């Protein structure tokens, strides 16, 4: 996939190290509690698959699929639920697992939505963080790797639906999305 990749930004080894650390922290923090982990589709599926196997306590797993209204390359913050969670989260701790926080608008909306369903708590775990582009204030308890303002693909992240299966986080060549 050299034709679309500018360079590797985060190697698989760095991702594995980060995931291991986050998994240990989550296991410690929620020991003895009822935890529901909600993966945000589609981008969060690879990170969640890795993270779930580094969590050593029993957890309920579910998925939610959301899409931003309007231009797909820009987040409007108004999210449409394409697939909702099946689990009742009332009285349980919820951890949302997302691929990347960019503007923060999607997660902000999602947290507010899930809070209306009576959970004990709602926290966020994100594999990647692009803080320079933040538009909405979001509290991210479990933050992965901070990245610069570049459009990245791989490790679950797509460009036009493709490249989610690249094992590393890579910078997409500018000429691909600027043409
Ligand atoms: P936010 O509402 O935080 O701006 O939107 C986050 C979503 O935008 C992510 O879940 C992801 O789907 C998408 N996104 C943000 N930055 C990137 C990026 O660099 N690469 C890709 N492939 N998607 C991104």
């Amino acid at each position: 996939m050299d034709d679309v990749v500018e360079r590797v930004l985060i190697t698989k080894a760095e991702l594995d190290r980060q995931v291991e650390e986050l998994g240990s922290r989550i296991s410690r923090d929620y020991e003895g509690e009822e935890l529901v982990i909600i993966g945000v589709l589609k981008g969060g599926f690879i990170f969640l698959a890795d993270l779930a196997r580094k969590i050593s306590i029993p957890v309920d797993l579910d998925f939610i699929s959301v899409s931003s209204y309007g231009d797909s390359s820009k987040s409007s913050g108004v999210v449409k639920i394409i697939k909702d969670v099946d689990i009742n989260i009332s009285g349980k701790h919820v951890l949302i697992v997302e691929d990347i926080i960019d503007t923060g608008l999607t997660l902000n909306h999602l947290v507010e939505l899930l809070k209306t369903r009576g959970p004990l708590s709602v926290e966020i775990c994100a594999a990647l963080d692009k803080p320079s582009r933040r538009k909405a204030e979001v509290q991210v308890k479990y933050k992965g790797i901070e990245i610069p303002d570049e459009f990245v693909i791989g490790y679950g992240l797509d460009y036009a639906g493709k490249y989610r299966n690249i094992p590393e986080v890579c910078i997409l060549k500018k000429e691909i999305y600027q043409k």
Side-chain angles (χ1 to χ4, degrees):
M1 303 198 230
D2 293 350
D3 50 335
V4 294
V5 169
E6 179 71 41
R7 67 183 169 91
V8 173
L9 185 64
I10 309 167
T11 64
K12 189 67 180 70
E14 286 174 272
L15 288 163
D16 287 347
R17 216 177 307 129
Q18 185 66 43
V19 168
E20 182 119 33
E21 196 188 307
L22 289 170
S24 307
R25 271 183 60 203
I26 292 165
S27 307
R28 265 199 315 274
D29 292 355
Y30 292 96
E31 176 87 64
E33 307 283 351
E34 271 224 67
L35 176 62
V36 179
I37 293 184
I38 300 178
V40 184
L41 295 173
K42 295 176 187 169
F45 85 109
I46 288 189
F47 175 47
L48 178 54
D50 282 350
L51 183 68
R53 286 173 291 173
K54 297 293 175 195
I55 294 176
S56 57
I57 55 167
V59 294
D60 256 350
L61 276 176
D62 206 347
F63 294 93
I64 196 163
S65 179
V66 297
S67 86
S68 248
Y69 283 105
D71 182 348
S72 61
S73 69
K74 282 193 207 92
S75 186
S76 64
V78 184
V79 297
K80 184 167 79 170
I81 307 283
I82 312 254
K83 183 228 166 281
D84 207 337
V85 290
D86 303 318
I87 298 175
N88 180 1
I89 60 167
S90 173
K92 296 175 186 162
H93 292 285
V94 169
L95 182 64
I96 303 172
V97 174
E98 172 70 297
D99 50 4
I100 187 169
I101 312 173
D102 188 19
T103 63
L105 294 168
T106 308
L107 274 174
N108 205 34
H109 187 87
L110 208 51
V111 168
E112 292 313 311
L113 173 80
L114 294 174
K115 277 186 177 166
T116 64
R117 300 178 181 179
L120 280 180
S121 66
V122 180
E123 299 290 353
I124 296 168
C125 177
L128 306 172
D129 181 22
K130 249 194 241 178
S132 56
R133 300 213 345 136
R134 201 75 90 247
K135 283 190 189 146
E137 176 86 25
V138 265
Q139 300 296 328
V140 186
K141 188 168 180 188
Y142 304 97
K143 213 182 276 186
I145 301 168
E146 201 171 296
I147 64 165
D149 184 12
E150 299 277 4
F151 192 85
V152 290
I153 52 170
Y155 201 62
L157 289 151
D158 75 312
Y159 172 67
K162 295 199 177 62
Y163 314 115
R164 294 188 196 276
N165 54 318
I166 298 176
E168 304 89 9
V169 175
C170 302
I171 296 177
L172 181 69
K173 279 187 177 163
K174 283 211 168 52
E175 63 255 37
I176 302 290
Y177 59 91
Q178 281 175 349
K179 67 179 174 200

